Amino acid sequence: MTQLPLILDPCCGPKGMWFDTKDSRCLFGDIRSETITVTDRTHKQDGTRTIQITPDCIFDYRNIPFPDESFWHVVFDPPHLVRAGNKSWLANKYGVLGLDWKDDLRRGFEQCFRVLKTNGTLVFKWNETQIPVREVLGCTDRKPLYGHRSGKHSKTHWIVFMKD
């Protein structure tokens, strides 16, 4: 079997947080691979924006297809919207959670920790515009090490875990 990269991003989307979207140390995964042009009146003169989602492999973060303890670092940035229009730029860029979002996130955390090596780190990113971060952290029994808020209204949380 070919050696896996050190890092997994199981919900990479358009890789917006990455400085190098082709970083060979990371395996980028997502449930979709597509190029979408959506309406965004704030962007171009023609009022559209193109989003490219180009993962290395297609899979669902709730069922990650790699063996236990495969990665030293996992970046978990799942969809964080429950309400968004079908043609919404944010919905197309990040995806939308379903009605069973708590179970989906619980399964996502379980899968991320399963493929994380002992003493490996998981960075979890969450924007609490629609769902408070305390509710999301209730989807895992793992305790975070530390975190940081960012963004214009400090609604984006960066939370770091280490697998004991």
Side-chain angles (χ1 to χ4, degrees):
M1 177 182 213
T2 306
Q3 176 107 12
L4 289 169
L6 300 171
I7 303 163
L8 174 66
D9 183 344
C11 320
C12 70
K15 304 176 193 170
M17 74 173 85
W18 288 89
F19 291 112
D20 179 359
T21 60
K22 295 180 181 8
D23 194 317
S24 64
R25 296 170 295 180
C26 184
L27 190 146
F28 296 99
D30 206 290
I31 200 166
R32 60 200 173 127
S33 178
E34 59 189 346
T35 300
I36 308 162
T37 300
V38 294
T39 301
D40 181 5
R41 291 177 198 85
T42 66
H43 193 253
K44 292 181 179 179
Q45 289 189 13
D46 70 353
T48 65
R49 184 183 299 226
T50 299
I51 301 163
Q52 291 187 315
I53 295 146
T54 56
D56 298 322
C57 57
I58 305 288
F59 62 86
D60 188 323
Y61 71 83
R62 297 166 296 188
N63 187 22
I64 298 174
F66 301 108
D68 295 358
E69 299 209 8
S70 293
F71 301 93
W72 282 105
H73 185 77
V74 175
V75 179
F76 187 33
D77 181 14
H80 47 262
L81 299 173
V82 289
R83 294 177 308 277
N86 291 340
K87 296 182 181 181
S88 159
W89 172 74
L90 286 175
N92 281 285
K93 183 174 181 182
Y94 297 114
V96 178
L97 292 167
L99 295 175
D100 294 331
W101 65 265
K102 285 184 181 181
D103 187 57
D104 291 343
L105 293 179
R106 180 191 56 75
R107 290 171 50 206
F109 274 116
E110 285 176 357
Q111 287 292 299
C112 287
F113 281 112
R114 181 186 64 76
V115 299
L116 189 63
K117 292 180 184 279
T118 300
N119 297 321
T121 54
L122 180 144
V123 173
F124 176 67
K125 179 180 168 246
W126 187 258
N127 182 289
E128 66 176 350
T129 298
Q130 295 183 1
I131 303 170
V133 73
R134 72 180 175 285
E135 287 187 39
V136 174
L137 291 178
C139 297
T140 182
D141 60 354
R142 305 289 180 135
K143 300 299 176 211
L145 290 172
Y146 57 89
H148 175 75
R149 289 177 176 224
S150 66
K152 185 176 180 180
H153 300 288
S154 296
K155 290 190 178 263
T156 298
H157 295 259
W158 298 82
I159 300 170
V160 178
F161 297 82
M162 188 172 90
K163 182 176 177 181
D164 295 326

